[in-house]
Amino acid sequence: MMFLWRRQAQDHPGDDDARQKDAKVKELRDELGPLSGRSLQYCTDPCLRRYLVARNWNVDKAKKMLQDTLDWRSTFKPEEIRWHEVAHEGETGKVSRADFFDRQGRTVLIMRPGKQNTTSAEGNIRHLVYLIENGILNLREGQEQMSWLIDFAGWTLRTHIPVRTARDIIYVLQNHYPERLAVVFLYNPPQFFEAFWKAIKYFLDQKTFEKVKFVYPNKKESVELMSTFFDIDNLPSEFGGKASLQYDHEEFSKMMVEDDVKMAKFWAVDEKKPTAIIPRKEIFEAQPQPVPVASPPAS
């Protein structure tokens, strides 16, 4: 009796919850059936867990979401995109992987929409997908998510990407990279961004919407929020930190080429001809249902 009492006393309320979630992961794997090749490699237990979290642990919905992703990956082949195919999109540094991590050790992607340099929707999406895959490749051990920093310096209505492209990007992020985004900071967006925001926020699901943070350098709470997530000494001055942000396309390209070798090795991909551009209809196949969301705080 004493042994049984001690064993029960050591149980914690969270143990049952953890066991139930582990059982959900197993159930999802059983529902998927036999997998092979890259699909098997992709569907790790942490991966299955991310899809379950994204669908509130509903196995049927998570299965549908994951199967859609496997179909998308088999066509789009994001792991086969190589830097030389998208390097022209990155010449201005409009999207790049930071050389620092946030306080949680998460990979940081920096976006500067004011440096938009092309009008190709497919090109912009492939470039971003490439950098998301690269960011995942460079996650520190124990981390599954990334932080995004968006700097609006120089952003104008002339340089912004079309709403349709933004919608496609949101669709890919939410449906094919669930729970990969930890937080996204919109740093000091201009007042006229509000019209663009109103047009795109309805494509965000509630989980993604809650990760979007509007940050203004003249607001104390914004400054405190940034210091909570980032070491100010590492954070570029464009985001209220003390470091400098200087994008060197040549040096960044060298780093990406080295990572391409790591990517090919990870996926056991043979280097080959560049992957063909995927038509928009295969990138964006279904519009997610909008959810009512609030407007951003006034600057």
Side-chain angles (χ1 to χ4, degrees), residues 182-195:
V183 63
V184 52
F185 293 98
L186 307 183
Y187 195 83
N188 202 27
Q191 188 172 1
F192 55 81
F193 173 75
E194 185 173 347

Side-chain angles (χ1 to χ4, degrees), residues 176-225:
H176 301 316
Y177 294 97
E179 297 303 308
R180 285 300 194 183
L181 180 65
V183 63
V184 52
F185 293 98
L186 307 183
Y187 195 83
N188 202 27
Q191 188 172 1
F192 55 81
F193 173 75
E194 185 173 347
F196 185 74
W197 173 249
K198 285 181 178 179
I200 66 171
K201 67 181 182 180
Y202 295 106
F203 300 117
L204 299 174
D205 63 32
Q206 193 62 40
K207 286 180 177 290
T208 304
F209 177 77
E210 291 172 356
K211 296 175 181 180
V212 177
K213 311 295 181 185
F214 284 78
V215 179
Y216 300 95
N218 59 344
K219 289 192 173 184
K220 181 181 178 182
E221 57 269 28
S222 291
V223 175
E224 292 176 347
L225 181 64

Side-chain angles (χ1 to χ4, degrees), residues 29 35-48 50 70 73 79 262-269:
R29 186 172 296 284
L35 297 171
S36 61
R38 294 181 197 171
S39 293
L40 177 60
Q41 188 174 355
Y42 181 77
C43 292
T44 61
D45 282 357
C47 173
L48 268 56
R50 287 193 298 272
L70 293 178
R73 292 186 71 90
E79 74 280 4
K262 298 176 186 176
M263 184 71 75
K265 183 177 181 180
F266 178 81
W267 290 102
V269 176

Side-chain angles (χ1 to χ4, degrees), residues 5-24:
W5 181 86
R6 285 179 178 174
R7 184 172 181 178
Q8 292 172 355
Q10 290 174 353
D11 287 340
H12 300 285
D15 292 344
D16 285 341
D17 183 58
R19 282 192 288 268
Q20 290 174 5
K21 289 179 177 178
D22 288 343
K24 290 278 189 179

